[in-house]
Amino acid sequence: RPQGGLRPATAHRFRLEAGVADRAGHTLAAPVEVAFTTADDEPPAPPLLAALPSLHCAPAVALAGTAEPLARIEAAGDVRPASTAAGADGAFILDLVPTITDGAVAIEAVAVDAAGNRSQSARTTFELDCTAPEVRGADFDGPTVLAVTFDEPIDAATIDVGASVIV
């Protein structure tokens, strides 16, 4: 009996020599050789997912990461189910189409090895914002300040200070 057991998904070859005897002292008539491969029953590690950008609007998002080399990567959640194969180096990119148009998009990904063993899920989320901001109100203090209120936070870098307002 090998110490530590047999490694999964490994080819083994054993040879029993003629000197092996049973309790009554009967020896093997001839050497016997046995060859077999142990089953792969160990799931791969969960895929490592690269961070996704938040607060954007796109019809699809590319989910990148690494997993066991040549494993199939399956993704589901708030996206259309999709799969791809990891390369020999374990790297993968999976194009996903969100099934919602606004809000948090949750994605679960698993790695499936050649033996069909499934990893635990890896999870990530990103914020999808495909709705344009709306003006909710405006206040004018008289000579200098016009304060505009929007229905959501606005990127300050997109505000054109000193811009003309046509009424």
Side-chain angles (χ1 to χ4, degrees), residues 82-157:
S83 66
T84 192
D89 62 354
F92 67 87
I93 297 176
L94 184 57
D95 291 323
L96 301 173
V97 177
T99 57
I100 60 175
T101 56
D102 275 326
V105 177
I107 301 169
E108 285 190 18
V110 296
V112 182
D113 66 16
N117 300 310
R118 298 175 69 79
S119 73
Q120 292 183 348
S121 293
R123 294 175 175 84
T124 189
T125 60
F126 71 97
E127 201 64 33
L128 191 60
D129 183 357
C130 292
T131 304
E134 293 182 13
V135 173
R136 292 290 184 211
D139 293 318
F140 186 56
D141 79 349
T144 59
V145 177
L146 174 63
V148 179
T149 306
F150 295 92
D151 66 338
E152 63 180 293
I154 300 299
D155 181 357

Side-chain angles (χ1 to χ4, degrees), residues 67-94:
E68 180 177 297
L70 307 177
R72 187 176 70 250
I73 309 304
E74 297 176 351
D78 295 327
V79 294
R80 287 188 194 146
S83 66
T84 192
D89 62 354
F92 67 87
I93 297 176
L94 184 57

Side-chain angles (χ1 to χ4, degrees), residues 49-53 62-64 124-125:
L49 306 177
L52 291 168
L63 178 65
T124 189
T125 60

